[in-house]
Amino acid sequence: MPQNLNKTLRTLCEDIQESDIGKKFTFKGWVMHYRDHGGLIFIDLRDYSGILQIVFDENIDKESFKIAKKLKNEYVVSITGTVRKRPQGTENTGLKTGSIEIISESVDVLNTCEVLPFQIDEENDVNEFTRLKYRYLDLRSKRLKENLIFRSNFTYLIRDFLNNKGFFDIETPFLTKSTPEGSRDFLVPSRLNEGHFFALPQSPQLFKQILMVSGFERYYQIVRCFRDEDLRSDRQPEFTQLDMEMSFVETEDIISITEDLFALIFNKLLNIKLEKPFKVLDYDEAMDKYGSDKPDTRFELLINNLTDTFTNSALNVFKDNIQKGGVIKAICLPNGSNLLSRKDIDELLNIVKDFGAKGLAWTKVGENGLLEGGIAKFISDDEREKTVARLGAKNGDIIFYQSDSKKTAESVLGRLRLHLAKTYGLIPEGRFDILWVVNFPLFEYSEEEKKIVSVHHPFTSPAEKDLNKLENNPLSVKSDSYDLVLNGEEIGGGSIRIHDTKLQGKIFEILSISPEEAKAKFGFLLDALSFGAPPHGGIAFGVDRILMLLKNENSIREVIAFPKTQKAYCPLTDAPSVVKDIQLRELGIKLRETAGKNLKSE
Amino acid sequence: MPQNLNKTLRTLCEDIQESDIGKKFTFKGWVMHYRDHGGLIFIDLRDYSGILQIVFDENIDKESFKIAKKLKNEYVVSITGTVRKRPQGTENTGLKTGSIEIISESVDVLNTCEVLPFQIDEENDVNEFTRLKYRYLDLRSKRLKENLIFRSNFTYLIRDFLNNKGFFDIETPFLTKSTPEGSRDFLVPSRLNEGHFFALPQSPQLFKQILMVSGFERYYQIVRCFRDEDLRSDRQPEFTQLDMEMSFVETEDIISITEDLFALIFNKLLNIKLEKPFKVLDYDEAMDKYGSDKPDTRFELLINNLTDTFTNSALNVFKDNIQKGGVIKAICLPNGSNLLSRKDIDELLNIVKDFGAKGLAWTKVGENGLLEGGIAKFISDDEREKTVARLGAKNGDIIFYQSDSKKTAESVLGRLRLHLAKTYGLIPEGRFDILWVVNFPLFEYSEEEKKIVSVHHPFTSPAEKDLNKLENNPLSVKSDSYDLVLNGEEIGGGSIRIHDTKLQGKIFEILSISPEEAKAKFGFLLDALSFGAPPHGGIAFGVDRILMLLKNENSIREVIAFPKTQKAYCPLTDAPSVVKDIQLRELGIKLRETAGKNLKSE
């Protein structure tokens, strides 16, 4: 709760209670909801604690009333007056100070305000570019103010918890080295070292591992990270991460401290009791049932495997796909026949094509478990019975099928599942489902690069039980890693790291990274590992995303004080901007002779 | 105090006490001080809590002993054993666990260690480049470990204090706009907006003022800032600032909360009681007596004004200087005649020339206040008596004189004062002198730019009492600003800001900044001020510098986990470094055809 810095000079609006009736105070803040009722003028005075009604009465103080006549919304004023009870019937129960008001005895205008481009607290009508351009007005809205105060409480609570657990807050550099992989690095030309560049960190990963080698054992940082991505989804070029690393720990230790932390956050900030331990899903199970490594478990609509049912399908596309090693998987939308028109079903076809599907087979479920429409006529009685039983399908449901490779079928149905849930309101409001996904594969084969790549990063430790498979079947090796998922969004992830240089060398070999390349990329970490590195592991959380979810916002921009647009532009400050040639000359760089694309338009 | 994350697996070294004698525990950490005494091997086991002696006894556990034979310093081990009392006479009182030891019953080597480039805790023999290259080893030293833990406690204490005072921790952008003044800005080329650049913030000044306009009233942040300076003195291209801003406050409020904060820091972290209120020095007095706006008051050696004494001096250089409006000022070094040889005095001449002096007049003080040597023969009896009286000079002292403009004389004597104090040990160890310097001039005349410039920044409010002088005598106007000085180092500074657009316009006029230029440079802040800006002010503190002073270190590099060299280079990561041309091409820039200077050498 706000405390007064300077009690002698000023009282905060929400510090006043009924017990103060008859006493005189001075308040400072902004004019809201100006109402002129003839001989009486009312305003709501807003300061950072809240709102208080002020009355200017011509019969009580002429001078105040005269000044009040000239007040406008968002003027800044200092008001001295006496607390009184509001007349019966005029109380505002929605306001903490709704039973009292201040009768003004003196008012000073501390500042005026130009005509507002939009009204405070009515920003919903305003386009986002304008809101961001006048962010200082936008931030006066109750919603954004509460979001940022929530954010401040959130990070403080985390620091308090970790400090009490013996963690050290250690700052790592922002001006650091670009790695050849760092194609999404922001670069910073060095003036003192012309022709050389720093990179802004995508994460403090290497430094936190170095800190473990240094013996700090329990590190955390709430730290800005940078990634120069094409901002298709809801991302920002700079984002905030809660970064943790611990020595002499195993997965269970990291999971346990994370659960304690999130239980505390939910309890203190949302008054919600999370049950511990959290649900744990195996990666394979998550992909199998939800078609996603960040499953949204707030609703059912599970994916089922029907491959064994359709081995001898009359549908050649099913049969052939199974023979090639593919799968038939399906989801069943309850009451789908009533929810979706034939046109809706046709439109779904286009949607799943965007998800990478070749097509979308479907059947409606009729009485007595009969299937109708779509591919129903190609389904035998036996197939039908098994399908209906496995999916628990009921009269009025629709079943959607995918016949494809396991990867594609699961990914398409996973995305279709989310699409249907959002479109048909299957996601319960105000519910928080938090769970772990574990046992990720260590590697995957990249079709793009035509080689084995890391699923997380090359310092992730293989699961001990799979060490013997590294040589002959690396793609079957699981990793000692874990992702935390909230309402279908990945909010954190981490792993136990490799602390053994020989094992690290083996991993680089599998990743086709030569010793020379490894030295150039990660030399200092490899060196460090050879000087007595302890077993260690850690986790990092996306602060902006977590806050967005906890505050039930649609975009991380609503929980960031000064976000950039989807085009990485700041309408408030006009950044990025052109700079003087002399600045570039000092840095030893110049612009290429290309017409600079300008993405600043709305 | 450290707490155990995973008590079932491991106990921390310093959690063991005499009451644990006879009990069995598992410890994990690093091998230190390996001593082989034949059938007995001793090591100190080090973890992040501290140190514990382990004994391997061939007669008690052969297997442990066999493994222990192969241990080396900085190997990482897991040891299980029983606590016992050390034999009488072998206790180590310097160690918290010095009365007990562990007799090993089983040991696992978790990792080995290459031959160390230098021994831990003996880094004093090692050059700093090597220390920084192997920073992970350097950070294992007791001193650096304690410095970083102190830093973590320091920032946590600040957050705790400010959080309880109702301050909000609000993050501001790192990718922001370069201002034309920002010649020391680090630039970041934008890939999505080719030809345009972000700048890394030199401070969040504009954003924190915007937050005040937004109504947040109490903001703080512990935030990284960036300045691409020539690193002559002890600076880093990235540094950490405690940044604060408040609304509806006056200088007294900011001074009061700062004093509460620093009293808490000194009390909790150093067990030192600071007296409140802190000493306050007027800027004019600081310049007059100490020749510095950040006076070191831990020792006397005050500067005295002798201008009135020497108006009719026989020395033409004195007389002419006074006639031209200059001053004669002097300091008196107690016992200087015995401390300084004639050669030392001659060498001082070269030193003060570096400070900008034309020369260095001096006299020794003999018996009965007689002056000897140097310019003594040009000083009349009357002048001598007045000089000796004013300086309180005694037999054996030396007086150093400067005849120059007020500014130069004070600056030279201020620096000479510090030089003499350091050279002749006048600064008491372990003493902390903290004080405010206030009433800075708002403007100064820049000989370089041939115009009036701001002493702080153009948003600094003039002192209310001087508003009427703005028009006709701007250089005489004082500002509403304040610097906090600790042991002669500026550790913080701030001001009340201008919240009135008309007054801000007037200031720009005096600074010869046209409305167009002002709009281009600070447009968004000026806009914001016109939409109901509250009166506000703030302060910012240099975290690295404060920690250096509190930990009695000579360089801020000793309190930063991963600092850069004086040439802004990181020997650990080899940053900055050359990048691939394709990375530059994506950013729309290329290198100029100049031979890149390489400053990486030691």
Side-chain angles (χ1 to χ4, degrees):
Chain A
M1 256 294 85
Q3 289 177 19
N4 229 332
L5 272 181
N6 41 0
K7 272 217 148 58
T8 52
L9 297 174
R10 175 199 182 201
T11 303
L12 291 173
C13 287
E14 292 213 344
D15 280 354
I16 298 296
Q17 313 166 20
E18 289 206 27
S19 58
D20 293 314
I21 286 174
K23 293 185 204 155
K24 195 166 165 175
F25 299 96
T26 296
F27 306 91
K28 298 182 182 192
W30 286 261
V31 172
M32 264 181 105
H33 307 138
Y34 184 94
R35 289 101 66 200
D36 188 339
H37 292 186
L40 284 175
I41 292 169
F42 295 89
I43 65 164
D44 287 346
L45 185 72
R46 186 189 72 235
D47 66 19
Y48 90 121
S49 74
I51 283 171
L52 186 59
Q53 176 162 288
I54 314 284
V55 187
F56 304 91
D57 185 334
E58 192 168 15
N59 296 319
I60 290 177
D61 187 60
K62 267 209 162 31
E63 192 53 33
S64 276
F65 186 81
K66 222 172 89 186
I67 297 170
K69 270 281 185 193
K70 293 181 200 155
L71 292 180
K72 289 191 178 130
N73 277 345
E74 300 305 317
Y75 273 37
V76 187
V77 290
S78 170
I79 287 166
T80 302
T82 301
V83 187
R84 72 178 188 191
K85 202 162 169 49
R86 292 202 197 183
Q88 208 157 12
T90 68
E91 297 93 343
N92 179 349
T93 52
L95 219 57
K96 201 185 149 212
T97 60
S99 68
I100 49 176
E101 59 190 13
I102 306 299
I103 179 80
S104 171
E105 290 157 32
S106 122
V107 52
D108 276 322
V109 178
L110 303 178
N111 217 342
T112 60
C113 181
E114 296 282 320
V115 177
L116 295 169
F118 53 82
Q119 293 306 306
I120 309 302
D121 272 325
E122 295 176 11
E123 87 281 2
N124 282 333
D125 311 338
V126 187
N127 76 46
E128 199 184 14
F129 193 92
T130 305
R131 284 180 53 204
L132 291 178
K133 183 172 164 64
Y134 298 96
R135 190 64 167 177
Y136 39 90
L137 299 177
D138 200 25
L139 286 174
R140 287 184 195 168
S141 73
K142 194 164 182 289
R143 185 167 63 91
L144 288 191
K145 195 178 89 173
E146 282 177 0
N147 284 356
L148 290 194
I149 291 175
F150 187 92
R151 184 175 184 127
S152 177
N153 293 336
F154 173 85
T155 51
Y156 181 71
L157 188 61
I158 292 171
R159 293 179 189 281
D160 193 45
F161 173 83
L162 292 176
N163 188 67
N164 284 325
K165 291 277 181 196
F167 279 74
F168 303 121
D169 178 4
I170 303 179
E171 297 180 57
T172 53
F174 281 77
L175 296 173
T176 181
K177 185 183 161 85
S178 179
T179 57
E181 245 132 27
S183 58
R184 292 291 85 99
D185 277 348
F186 280 105
L187 294 184
V188 185
S190 164
R191 187 175 55 88
L192 294 178
N193 221 334
E194 223 174 76
H196 293 66
F197 293 79
F198 293 105
L200 300 178
Q202 298 193 24
S203 95
Q205 180 67 34
L206 296 174
F207 288 105
K208 69 176 178 174
Q209 292 196 239
I210 292 281
L211 285 171
M212 293 306 106
V213 178
S214 305
F216 281 94
E217 300 197 33
R218 292 176 203 178
Y219 145 92
Y220 88 96
Q221 205 184 176
I222 297 177
V223 63
R224 202 73 53 83
C225 300
F226 304 85
R227 206 168 297 152
D228 192 5
E229 287 181 305
D230 299 312
L231 305 171
R232 288 152 305 186
S233 56
D234 187 26
R235 304 243 177 148
Q236 287 280 309
E238 49 180 316
F239 54 97
T240 301
Q241 191 165 294
L242 164 60
D243 198 43
M244 291 163 64
E245 195 80 5
M246 290 154 257
S247 293
F248 304 114
V249 290
E250 296 176 17
T251 297
E252 291 65 36
D253 301 306
I254 292 169
I255 283 187
S256 157
I257 198 166
T258 300
E259 294 187 354
D260 287 349
L261 173 60
F262 275 83
L264 180 75
I265 289 169
F266 273 82
N267 182 20
K268 290 270 182 191
L269 299 182
L270 298 175
N271 204 21
I272 290 174
K273 205 173 138 39
L274 289 187
E275 231 173 281
K276 290 186 289 186
F278 298 170
K279 206 178 337 180
V280 180
L281 268 184
D282 206 87
Y283 170 84
D284 288 339
E285 188 187 352
M287 295 309 294
D288 187 49
K289 289 192 181 160
Y290 300 91
S292 167
D293 60 0
K294 44 181 186 178
D296 192 338
T297 55
R298 288 175 298 172
F299 58 97
E300 289 283 323
L301 220 61
L302 297 187
I303 302 172
N304 278 275
N305 194 342
L306 299 172
T307 313
D308 57 349
T309 305
F310 286 102
T311 327
N312 296 308
S313 173
L315 280 160
N316 284 333
V317 57
F318 277 27
K319 203 168 69 182
D320 293 352
N321 175 50
I322 293 171
Q323 275 170 2
K324 281 189 306 182
V327 300
I328 313 297
K329 303 197 84 165
I331 55 177
C332 172
L333 178 66
N335 198 29
S337 300
N338 300 319
L339 294 171
L340 278 78
S341 68
R342 180 58 203 253
K343 203 174 142 228
D344 293 334
I345 296 176
D346 289 345
E347 273 167 13
L348 279 184
L349 175 62
N350 291 323
I351 287 169
V352 296
K353 279 189 174 165
D354 281 349
F355 298 163
K358 298 192 186 72
L360 181 66
W362 58 274
T363 56
K364 293 186 176 179
V365 184
E367 278 180 26
N368 302 318
L370 293 176
L371 298 180
E372 302 158 359
I375 60 166
K377 57 179 176 245
F378 304 104
I379 297 180
S380 72
D381 285 355
D382 179 56
E383 288 166 348
R384 174 175 55 78
E385 276 165 27
K386 283 183 178 157
T387 297
V388 168
R390 189 161 297 166
L391 293 171
K394 290 186 187 61
N395 188 2
D397 296 355
I398 297 189
I399 301 171
F400 295 103
Y401 305 81
Q402 280 292 305
S403 165
D404 212 316
S405 69
K406 180 175 184 303
K407 194 173 166 182
T408 304
E410 286 173 352
S411 150
V412 168
L413 286 174
R415 294 176 71 177
L416 177 61
R417 179 179 174 270
L418 288 179
H419 174 80
L420 294 173
K422 277 176 199 156
T423 310
Y424 300 105
L426 305 185
I427 305 175
E429 267 191 42
R431 176 165 165 182
F432 291 102
D433 261 28
I434 195 162
L435 60 90
W436 293 99
V437 177
V438 299
N439 283 327
F440 281 81
L442 184 62
F443 302 113
E444 63 189 350
Y445 187 79
S446 164
E447 291 293 345
E448 205 176 319
E449 301 180 49
K450 300 282 174 219
K451 63 170 204 161
I452 289 179
V453 297
S454 295
V455 168
H456 284 93
H457 54 61
F459 318 116
T460 307
S461 180
E464 202 167 336
K465 65 172 176 51
D466 290 344
L467 281 176
N468 57 349
K469 297 190 213 159
L470 265 182
E471 192 69 47
N472 297 318
N473 192 3
L475 285 171
S476 74
V477 174
K478 300 289 187 180
S479 65
D480 246 350
S481 65
Y482 28 83
D483 275 6
L484 188 62
V485 177
L486 176 61
N487 290 357
E489 299 257 17
E490 184 205 325
I491 57 169
S495 62
I496 300 297
R497 327 297 182 186
I498 298 168
H499 65 279
D500 178 79
T501 45
K502 257 190 236 139
L503 178 57
Q504 187 69 68
K506 180 79 212 151
I507 299 294
F508 283 142
E509 203 184 306
I510 294 168
L511 293 169
S512 314
I513 297 175
S514 72
E516 296 69 38
E517 198 184 346
K519 201 174 161 51
K521 280 180 181 173
F522 317 111
F524 67 101
L525 179 62
L526 300 182
D527 283 351
L529 290 181
S530 71
F531 286 107
H536 62 288
I539 190 161
F541 302 93
V543 166
D544 308 303
R545 178 131 1 133
I546 294 171
L547 287 165
M548 175 188 84
L549 292 170
L550 297 188
K551 293 302 291 178
N552 200 24
E553 292 284 2
N554 288 319
S555 161
I556 58 171
R557 295 190 295 281
E558 306 296 331
V559 294
I560 296 173
F562 302 104
K564 295 183 178 60
T565 66
Q566 291 286 74
K567 289 170 179 170
Y569 172 68
C570 174
L572 172 68
T573 60
D574 184 37
S577 55
V578 293
V579 298
K580 287 189 182 158
D581 191 55
I582 183 168
Q583 280 181 278
L584 299 184
R585 208 177 305 143
E586 282 212 347
L587 298 173
I589 59 172
K590 57 183 174 184
L591 298 182
R592 281 180 194 275
E593 293 81 5
T594 45
K597 297 171 287 179
N598 195 329
L599 302 178
K600 291 184 187 180
S601 60
E602 300 177 35
Chain B
M1 258 291 86
Q3 288 177 22
N4 229 334
L5 273 181
N6 40 1
K7 270 217 149 57
T8 52
L9 298 174
R10 175 199 182 199
T11 303
L12 290 174
C13 288
E14 293 214 343
D15 280 354
I16 298 297
Q17 313 167 19
E18 288 207 25
S19 57
D20 293 314
I21 286 173
K23 293 184 203 154
K24 197 168 166 174
F25 299 96
T26 297
F27 305 91
K28 299 183 182 191
W30 286 261
V31 173
M32 263 182 103
H33 306 138
Y34 183 94
R35 290 100 68 201
D36 187 341
H37 291 185
L40 284 175
I41 292 169
F42 295 90
I43 64 163
D44 287 344
L45 184 73
R46 188 190 68 236
D47 67 17
Y48 91 119
S49 73
I51 284 172
L52 187 58
Q53 177 162 290
I54 315 285
V55 188
F56 303 92
D57 186 333
E58 194 169 13
N59 295 320
I60 289 176
D61 188 59
K62 268 210 161 30
E63 192 53 33
S64 274
F65 186 80
K66 221 172 88 187
I67 298 171
K69 270 282 186 192
K70 293 180 201 156
L71 293 179
K72 290 191 178 129
N73 277 346
E74 300 307 315
Y75 273 35
V76 188
V77 290
S78 171
I79 287 167
T80 301
T82 302
V83 186
R84 71 178 190 191
K85 203 161 167 49
R86 292 201 196 183
Q88 208 159 11
T90 66
E91 297 95 342
N92 179 348
T93 52
L95 221 55
K96 202 186 149 213
T97 61
S99 67
I100 49 177
E101 61 191 11
I102 307 298
I103 178 81
S104 170
E105 290 156 32
S106 124
V107 53
D108 277 323
V109 179
L110 302 177
N111 216 342
T112 59
C113 181
E114 297 280 321
V115 176
L116 295 169
F118 54 82
Q119 294 305 305
I120 309 303
D121 271 327
E122 294 176 11
E123 87 281 4
N124 282 333
D125 310 338
V126 186
N127 77 44
E128 198 183 15
F129 193 90
T130 306
R131 285 179 55 202
L132 292 177
K133 183 172 165 62
Y134 297 95
R135 189 65 166 176
Y136 38 88
L137 299 177
D138 200 25
L139 286 174
R140 288 185 194 166
S141 72
K142 193 163 183 288
R143 185 167 64 92
L144 287 191
K145 196 178 91 174
E146 282 176 0
N147 283 358
L148 290 194
I149 292 175
F150 187 92
R151 184 176 183 124
S152 177
N153 293 336
F154 173 84
T155 51
Y156 181 72
L157 188 62
I158 292 171
R159 292 178 190 283
D160 192 46
F161 173 83
L162 292 176
N163 189 67
N164 284 326
K165 291 278 181 194
F167 279 74
F168 303 121
D169 178 4
I170 303 179
E171 297 180 56
T172 53
F174 281 78
L175 295 173
T176 181
K177 186 184 161 87
S178 180
T179 56
E181 246 132 28
S183 57
R184 292 290 86 97
D185 277 349
F186 280 105
L187 294 184
V188 184
S190 164
R191 187 175 54 88
L192 294 179
N193 222 334
E194 224 175 72
H196 293 65
F197 293 80
F198 293 106
L200 299 178
Q202 297 195 23
S203 95
Q205 180 67 35
L206 296 174
F207 288 105
K208 69 176 178 173
Q209 291 196 240
I210 292 281
L211 285 171
M212 293 306 106
V213 178
S214 305
F216 282 93
E217 300 198 32
R218 292 177 204 178
Y219 145 94
Y220 89 96
Q221 204 183 178
I222 296 177
V223 62
R224 204 71 55 83
C225 300
F226 304 85
R227 205 168 297 152
D228 193 4
E229 287 181 305
D230 299 311
L231 304 171
R232 286 152 306 187
S233 56
D234 187 26
R235 305 242 177 150
Q236 288 279 309
E238 49 180 317
F239 53 97
T240 302
Q241 192 165 294
L242 164 60
D243 198 43
M244 292 164 65
E245 195 80 7
M246 290 154 257
S247 292
F248 304 114
V249 290
E250 296 177 18
T251 296
E252 291 65 34
D253 301 307
I254 292 169
I255 282 187
S256 157
I257 198 165
T258 300
E259 294 187 353
D260 287 349
L261 173 61
F262 276 83
L264 180 75
I265 289 168
F266 273 82
N267 184 18
K268 290 269 182 193
L269 300 182
L270 298 175
N271 204 20
I272 290 174
K273 205 171 140 36
L274 289 187
E275 231 172 284
K276 291 186 289 186
F278 298 170
K279 206 178 337 180
V280 180
L281 267 185
D282 207 87
Y283 169 84
D284 288 338
E285 189 187 350
M287 297 309 295
D288 187 48
K289 288 192 183 160
Y290 300 92
S292 168
D293 59 0
K294 44 180 186 180
D296 192 338
T297 55
R298 288 176 298 171
F299 58 96
E300 288 283 324
L301 219 61
L302 296 186
I303 302 172
N304 279 276
N305 194 340
L306 298 173
T307 314
D308 55 350
T309 305
F310 285 102
T311 326
N312 296 309
S313 173
L315 279 160
N316 284 334
V317 57
F318 276 27
K319 203 169 70 182
D320 292 354
N321 176 49
I322 293 171
Q323 273 170 4
K324 282 189 305 182
V327 300
I328 313 296
K329 303 196 84 165
I331 56 176
C332 173
L333 177 65
N335 198 29
S337 300
N338 300 320
L339 293 171
L340 278 78
S341 69
R342 180 58 203 251
K343 201 171 146 233
D344 292 335
I345 297 178
D346 287 345
E347 273 166 13
L348 278 185
L349 176 62
N350 290 324
I351 288 168
V352 296
K353 278 189 173 162
D354 281 348
F355 298 162
K358 297 191 185 74
L360 180 66
W362 58 272
T363 55
K364 293 187 175 178
V365 184
E367 278 180 27
N368 303 319
L370 292 176
L371 298 180
E372 302 158 1
I375 60 166
K377 58 179 173 250
F378 303 106
I379 297 179
S380 72
D381 285 355
D382 179 57
E383 288 166 347
R384 173 175 57 77
E385 275 166 26
K386 283 182 178 156
T387 298
V388 169
R390 187 159 300 164
L391 293 171
K394 292 188 186 60
N395 187 2
D397 295 355
I398 297 189
I399 301 171
F400 295 103
Y401 306 82
Q402 280 292 306
S403 165
D404 212 317
S405 69
K406 181 174 184 305
K407 194 173 165 183
T408 304
E410 286 173 352
S411 152
V412 168
L413 287 174
R415 294 176 71 178
L416 178 61
R417 179 178 174 271
L418 288 179
H419 174 81
L420 293 173
K422 279 174 197 155
T423 310
Y424 300 105
L426 304 186
I427 305 175
E429 267 190 43
R431 176 167 165 180
F432 291 102
D433 261 27
I434 195 162
L435 60 90
W436 292 100
V437 177
V438 298
N439 282 327
F440 281 80
L442 184 62
F443 303 111
E444 64 190 348
Y445 187 79
S446 163
E447 291 293 346
E448 203 176 319
E449 300 180 49
K450 301 283 174 219
K451 64 170 204 159
I452 289 179
V453 298
S454 294
V455 168
H456 284 93
H457 54 61
F459 318 114
T460 307
S461 180
E464 201 166 336
K465 65 172 176 51
D466 290 344
L467 282 176
N468 57 348
K469 298 189 213 159
L470 265 181
E471 193 67 49
N472 297 319
N473 191 3
L475 285 171
S476 74
V477 174
K478 300 290 186 179
S479 65
D480 245 350
S481 65
Y482 29 82
D483 276 7
L484 188 61
V485 175
L486 176 61
N487 291 357
E489 300 258 16
E490 185 205 326
I491 58 169
S495 63
I496 300 297
R497 328 297 182 186
I498 298 168
H499 65 279
D500 179 80
T501 44
K502 254 188 242 143
L503 178 56
Q504 187 68 67
K506 180 79 211 154
I507 299 294
F508 284 142
E509 202 184 303
I510 294 167
L511 294 169
S512 313
I513 297 174
S514 71
E516 296 70 36
E517 198 183 346
K519 200 171 164 50
K521 281 182 180 170
F522 318 111
F524 67 101
L525 179 61
L526 300 182
D527 283 352
L529 290 181
S530 71
F531 286 107
H536 62 288
I539 190 161
F541 302 94
V543 166
D544 308 304
R545 179 136 354 138
I546 294 171
L547 287 165
M548 176 188 84
L549 292 170
L550 298 189
K551 293 302 292 177
N552 200 24
E553 291 284 2
N554 287 320
S555 162
I556 58 172
R557 294 189 296 281
E558 306 296 330
V559 296
I560 296 174
F562 301 105
K564 295 182 178 61
T565 66
Q566 291 285 75
K567 288 171 180 171
Y569 173 67
C570 174
L572 173 68
T573 60
D574 184 37
S577 54
V578 293
V579 297
K580 287 187 181 159
D581 191 53
I582 184 168
Q583 280 181 279
L584 299 184
R585 208 176 307 142
E586 281 213 348
L587 298 173
I589 59 172
K590 57 183 175 183
L591 297 182
R592 281 180 194 276
E593 293 82 5
T594 45
K597 298 171 287 179
N598 194 330
L599 300 178
K600 290 185 186 178
S601 60
E602 301 179 33

